[in-house]
Amino acid sequence: MTMHPRAGAPAGVDDLVNIPRLMAAYYQLRPDPARAEQQVAFGTSGHRGCALDGSFNELHIRAICQAVAEYRTGQGLGGPLFLAMDTHALSEAAWGSALEVLVANGLEVRVQQGRGYTPTPVVSHAILNHNRGHADARADGIVITPSHNPPRDGGIKYNGPDGGPASAEATRWIQDRANALIAAGGAGIVSLSFAEAFERAVACDYVEAYVAELGDVVDMAAIRKAGIRIGIDPLGGAGLAYWPHIAERYGLDITVVNPSQDPTFAFMTLDHDGQIRMDCSSPYCMANLLAMRDDFDIACGNDPDYDRHGIVDQDGLMDPNHYLAVCIHYLFTHRPRWPATLAIGKTLVSSSLIDRVAAHLGRLLLEVPVGFKWYVQDLNDGKLGFVGEESAGASFLRMDGEVWSTDKDGFIPSLLAAEILAVTGLTPHQYYERLATELGRPVYRRLDAPASLAQKQVLARLDRSDVEADTLAGDPIVAILTRAPGNGAAIGGLKVVTEQGWFAARPSGTEQVYKIYAESFRDQAHLEQLIAEARQLVSATFAKAGV
């Protein structure tokens, strides 16, 4: 991975997107239904694109929301739809377009009072809470967000009545119907004026409803008693308004170090590739908070829709995989009311240290493809206590073993870091060191590389037969996976495993890149060999396919 010379440096004027031009493009440009890159495409977390590229425009949102309204009818969903947005510039425009169509279709649409921003996990939490008492009028939700993507991007995702990211079957139906509506030039889409739709929307207080129950999932009393000093950088995201309420309700020492909300995200430092990207797992994006780490016991950052977490202590930014292992070990040894049958969920590209932690705890491990949707049913059914993915997304149960959210929640892992320090006296880095000393110290890396749509399609079809060797980095291959062991679902790529390491290759579901993940339980040199052989396989696959 090539490092940009300004990685970690403050964004400059030339790095900022032209917001007026971006907003004009949202309304002025119409997608070409014959071009695949301008069609609606639901990846691992909804549809994402950019108005300037013709991939996230008014017609896209209107068509998607009309499709959602029709899908709800087919599923017999008669309850409210919770509508939320993050702080990206396109989110404001798309939120309005969504509201116009959803209300016109006769839906009760609930929005944050005062047109405030709403994090993804808050919507999941709201859906679950409503549906517990309204089996005959179930709710669902839409979140307008491209997550941590650059400021020029927009995104939209649908969460079903189970509170989590919609199933592949649901998103395929919505995607196909939306593309049909776009191909018809928008015929079949009903809408109201924004003024009328906004008048009919139901304002609610998402903030109070969510914050009031946080003590059910994290030991706030322990944090308060220990006097843990917590620093928060919301990275300009939708959770900014929540932290003062959390501090006041639970008596916590919380300092928001950056209260800015700016659609250009000009306050950010540049990511590894020189882009403005609100990725709280990147040390380059988190440079501002890292510079303040000695001012706090625990510091945390979150992406714009608050479904990811970045944990900082005096030793720096926690590696996401390391923190997942810490969370799992701590929770399963400090939640006495959790059933002994609860399992642990991880994605195939998360660290194998989690496998070792699960074995050490005597807990079943469920390994699934990338995408939080694979956890939703088992979380709701009370089979999984903790679920996570390598890109710093996680959720876990309430203290009594009841489901909290079925989507990634950036708040609760952030607060859990403070609980861990309060209860054990160990920072997350210190806790990890104890685990690594006992269970092994892996070296892990993820690489992203540009990929065309054709190349991504080739990677998604990788098969066991594409691996001709019987060794990897000098060790016998023990598994070649194209389906996840935990549920048998296709992983949309390939994972090759030995006793001492593994690599996986797969296309991104949200960006025009492919990803290589690799991990070694030996050393850095072994990791580099794993990556080199993974690259050779990908290059050979592209050459064979002529792409």
Side-chain angles (χ1 to χ4, degrees):
M1 179 173 62
T2 303
M3 192 65 60
H4 193 277
R6 292 177 55 226
V13 173
D14 292 341
D15 300 311
L16 308 183
V17 64
N18 184 325
I19 298 297
R21 187 167 299 167
L22 180 69
M23 304 312 297
Y26 175 81
Y27 293 105
Q28 293 171 352
L29 301 185
R30 292 174 69 86
D32 181 350
R35 297 179 61 180
E37 65 271 22
Q38 294 188 10
Q39 296 173 1
V40 173
F42 275 79
T44 51
S45 191
H47 171 76
R48 296 183 191 177
C50 179
L52 298 167
D53 301 333
S55 55
F56 191 89
N57 305 87
E58 183 180 29
L59 186 55
H60 287 109
I61 303 307
R62 289 165 58 85
I64 290 170
C65 290
Q66 180 65 41
V68 167
E70 295 174 8
Y71 178 80
R72 292 179 99 246
T73 299
Q75 296 296 307
L77 301 181
L81 181 140
F82 295 96
L83 180 62
M85 63 175 165
D86 78 357
T87 52
H88 280 76
L90 286 171
S91 296
E92 287 274 2
W95 184 87
S97 301
L99 191 64
E100 292 168 356
V101 172
L102 296 168
V103 173
N105 276 274
L107 278 63
E108 177 189 322
V109 182
R110 297 189 184 179
V111 299
Q112 172 62 35
Q113 58 190 22
R115 291 180 67 169
Y117 304 112
T118 305
T120 287
V122 173
V123 170
S124 177
H125 178 266
I127 293 170
L128 293 172
N129 275 3
H130 177 275
N131 290 347
R132 283 190 184 94
H134 300 85
D136 57 339
R138 294 181 299 159
D140 53 1
I142 288 176
V143 185
I144 311 292
T145 175
S147 190
H148 64 291
N149 277 31
R152 74 193 301 269
D153 287 352
I156 179 171
K157 56 186 179 181
Y158 173 62
N159 284 42
D162 53 19
S167 68
E169 293 75 20
T171 54
R172 189 178 303 115
W173 193 97
I174 293 167
Q175 170 185 297
D176 292 348
R177 176 56 178 155
N179 282 324
L181 289 165
I182 291 172
I189 300 174
V190 299
S191 67
L192 297 170
S193 69
F194 177 78
E196 187 173 359
F198 188 68
E199 178 68 24
R200 295 188 189 181
V202 178
C204 61
D205 189 354
Y206 283 125
V207 181
E208 173 61 24
Y210 179 84
V211 172
E213 296 187 0
L214 274 172
D216 294 344
V217 70
V218 177
D219 190 346
M220 300 297 203
I223 299 172
R224 180 178 63 253
K225 183 177 179 180
I228 305 298
R229 298 169 300 141
I230 304 171
I232 298 293
D233 188 346
L235 301 183
L240 173 62
Y242 287 69
W243 290 109
H245 290 273
I246 294 170
E248 181 179 4
R249 173 175 283 271
Y250 297 104
L252 303 187
D253 183 356
I254 293 177
T255 301
V256 175
V257 302
N258 175 21
S260 300
Q261 284 184 323
D262 169 9
T264 67
F265 291 86
F267 49 79
M268 288 295 300
T269 49
L270 302 180
D271 202 1
H272 65 88
D273 57 359
Q275 294 289 312
I276 295 176
R277 184 179 290 111
M278 290 63 69
D279 183 355
C280 51
S281 65
S282 165
Y284 308 103
C285 301
M286 292 278 279
N288 289 330
L289 188 59
L290 282 166
M292 305 177 191
R293 65 191 184 201
D294 290 338
D295 297 337
F296 305 101
D297 300 313
I298 294 290
C300 309
N302 301 92
D303 64 334
D305 74 316
Y306 263 68
D307 68 351
R308 299 186 184 207
H309 58 272
I311 309 300
V312 175
D313 60 26
Q314 292 184 352
D315 289 310
L317 178 66
M318 279 292 290
D319 179 287
N321 275 300
H322 297 176
Y323 188 57
L324 292 182
V326 167
C327 290
I328 291 166
H329 189 274
Y330 175 82
L331 285 167
F332 279 87
T333 55
H334 289 81
R335 291 295 186 265
R337 297 168 66 190
W338 280 13
T341 55
L342 284 177
I344 298 161
K346 62 163 278 196
T347 57
L348 276 101
V349 297
S350 299
S351 174
S352 290
L353 180 61
I354 295 171
D355 303 51
R356 298 186 180 192
V357 171
H360 178 73
L361 294 168
R363 297 283 182 157
L364 179 68
L365 181 72
L366 183 75
E367 191 171 16
V368 300
V370 173
F372 231 70
K373 62 188 177 185
W374 302 110
Y375 297 133
V376 174
Q377 189 62 53
D378 286 332
L379 275 171
N380 268 319
D381 291 345
K383 295 179 180 178
L384 290 168
F386 179 95
V387 294
E389 59 182 24
E390 56 80 33
S391 56
S395 188
F396 48 92
L397 299 181
R398 299 171 190 251
M399 293 186 185
D400 63 2
E402 292 297 315
V403 65
W404 167 257
S405 72
T406 48
D407 209 331
K408 294 174 284 189
D409 190 328
F411 287 104
I412 58 175
S414 298
L415 290 165
L416 186 68
E419 179 191 329
I420 291 171
L421 178 57
V423 172
T424 69
L426 300 174
T427 67
H429 271 99
Q430 291 167 343
Y431 200 112
Y432 170 74
E433 282 302 313
R434 286 194 176 185
L435 285 181
T437 299
E438 183 173 3
L439 302 177
R441 196 177 304 277
V443 187
Y444 178 101
R445 192 190 308 170
R446 189 191 86 184
L447 300 91
D448 297 355
S452 67
L453 180 61
Q455 288 174 326
K456 289 174 63 175
Q457 290 172 340
V458 167
L459 279 181
R461 295 193 297 266
L462 278 173
D463 188 75
R464 292 174 57 92
S465 61
D466 291 308
V467 181
E468 298 178 356
D470 55 9
T471 62
L472 172 64
D475 296 316
I477 293 172
V478 298
I480 300 174
L481 303 174
T482 57
R483 293 188 173 274
N487 59 5
I491 66 177
L494 186 76
K495 182 176 181 180
V496 182
V497 185
T498 73
E499 292 290 348
Q500 296 300 323
W502 57 269
F503 81 79
R506 57 175 290 274
S508 169
T510 55
E511 300 177 84
Q512 293 304 309
V513 300
Y514 75 86
K515 302 174 185 289
I516 290 177
Y517 312 77
E519 182 174 50
S520 168
F521 274 87
R522 283 188 177 152
D523 52 31
Q524 188 66 38
H526 185 238
L527 177 68
E528 296 300 333
Q529 191 175 355
L530 290 168
I531 292 171
E533 293 188 23
R535 282 175 161 164
Q536 291 173 5
L537 173 65
V538 171
S539 297
T541 302
F542 286 164
K544 184 177 179 181
V547 296

